[in-house]
Structure formats: C-alpha cells, structure tokens
Amino acid sequence: MVANPYGGLVSSLDADGFEALCSAVAERRCRALIGAGTLAEAAELWRPSPPCPSCGFPDCSRDGKTPAGRQRWRCPRCGEAFSALTGTVLESSNKELPVWERFITCMCYNAPVDLAAEVCGIAHTTAFEWRHRVFATVDGYQDRLVLRGRVWIDELYLTDSDIVRSADYVPKRGLSKNKICIAVAIDAYKNAVVAICGHGKPSSRRIRDALLSHIAPGSVIVHDMEKAHMSLVRAAKCTDEAYKADVKDPVYLEAMELVNNLCSWLRRYLFRFPGMKKGNLQSYLNWFVYLFRVRRDEEKWPKTARVMRHLLMTDAHYRSSR
Ligand SMILES: [Zn+2]
C-alpha cells in the first residue's frame, strides 16, 4: 500500500490548523456533492436576485458584504439592506453549509434528533430547532397538490396518547374516539396527500374537508367501500371503484396495494417520533409528503441537493413553538 502523502502534514498540524483543514475539506466535499460549499455560494446559486423582504421590490442591487461575508443587498425603493439569506430559515444560521448538508441528509432518512445532533456536531436543542426550521419551509406545501387519474384513498388511525402528546388529553370512552384519523390519498403518478381528519371514524363532511380540494374532477376514486367516501366522490365530480376491505382477499390487496403501502410507510415514519406535540403533527405529515416526492424523483434530482435548494428558495419564517 502506498503511504498517504498527506499523512505527515496532517499529523504535524496543531489543533487550530487541523480544524481549518477539516472545514476546508468539508467545504470542498459539500461543493462536489451539492454544487455549493458555503452558504454564500448557495445563495449566489439558488437565490441570485432576492426580492426586498420589506416591500417585495424584485430588482434590488448588490451593496457590499455582511460581516459574515455574505452578499448584502439594498432595495432602491425603500432603502432596506438585507442579506441573500434574509427571509429564509437559514437567515440567522451561524453554522456553515456543510453542517446543514449533513443535517439535511439525516432528515432525508428521518434520523432521530439525537443522531442528527451527534453526526452534525451540534447541540440537541439546535438540532431540534433546525428540524422545525426545515418544517417551516413545507408549511402549506400540500395546499396546492391536486391528484388526478386513478386516485386511491384510505384512512389510518393513530392512538392519540401513544404518538401524539396533547396538553388537554383526556381519555375518552370508546376506542375510536381516542384515535386521530388521517386521510391519505395517492394517484398513479405517486403524488400523495396526507391530512389530519379529526378523531374517530370520519363523517362524510370530514372526508370532504380533508380531500376535496386535492382531487381533480373526472378522476376515478378507488376506495374500500366506506360510506363516508361517496359524498367526496360526488362533490369532486369523480367516479369510483370500490373493493370490500378484506386482507385475505387477493383482489382487494392488489387493488389497494399502493394506498396500503402508503399507510404503512406513514405509520412507520410517525412511530419514529413518539410523543410529538399534537400541534406539530401536520408539520410532520407535510414533511412526509414532501420527502415522498423528493425520493420519488431521486434519480433525476439527488435528494440532499434538492432539499438544500428548496431551503434557499423558500421564503419562510421559523417561529419557536416551545
Ligand atoms: Zn424594499
């Protein structure tokens, strides 16, 4: 084996020198991986001409650098000075891009917060906050999703007290009332929608509220004969195809495979976050749907680069909810 020509050099470095080397290496590795090595480079790449965060003016001019070395912009209309990251969830980050790149990779695999903190060398509280910063960028993400063609729908139920912690939790009589219902839908293009649909078995109205805006007229809704679905089928101007739910019936299993799989992926995903706050459940669901799409397109667009670009391009604000 040939000796590594850098071995001697690296061992001779003092602590500061070694740290500088590590961050230069991380920067280069990150650049090779996602196309940018620093937040400043990422901003140039994915936010080349940011609009004014105060008045929305689209045509701002470059105005030197911020103390952190990032591009400063100035609005000719209202005079506001801002950085290219202003208005994004990365705005106040004092960690550089390679740390974020690792964090996003962890989030793409839904790694536990403790593991992400360890791998990224950041505090647990920072990792927790970063997760919610990323969630803020998918706020309302599902609002504009519309499924078409063949659309499979179903519901799954979460035990309120097991997965979701709620300050006003009172055990109720009757099993189903304690369960949160989640309506799920997926079309043949693997576009998915996942929405909270109240407690217990859903009424026709709750199903409509959850899914109506997400299904294009003329679609074929494939479902399990649940009566509450029929009002959605009519309201969405769709036709339907129904299969009696029977896990021993191969015809049912094959017909409903896509949505049954979606339900079991979602269940597995949610069980990774026991004790999440009820107010955060929709955020977790939004992230699940966003990631579902990112993974679907992974061959075309590598996932970490795509999510990083999304963080830079999305105007979003993180509000501390703790
Ligand atoms: Zn302005």
Side-chain angles (χ1 to χ4, degrees), residues 52-57 60 75-80:
C52 171
S54 289
C55 74
F57 189 74
C60 297
C75 172
R77 189 157 78 186
C78 73
E80 176 87 357

Side-chain angles (χ1 to χ4, degrees), residues 39 68 70 83-96 100 126 129-130 133 316-318:
L39 282 171
R70 292 166 197 162
S83 98
L85 297 176
T86 305
T88 71
V89 295
L90 300 168
E91 180 174 345
S92 54
S93 175
N94 54 13
K95 299 285 182 198
E96 256 306 338
W100 274 99
T126 306
E129 184 191 306
W130 282 16
R133 282 182 186 275
H317 283 284
Y318 163 73

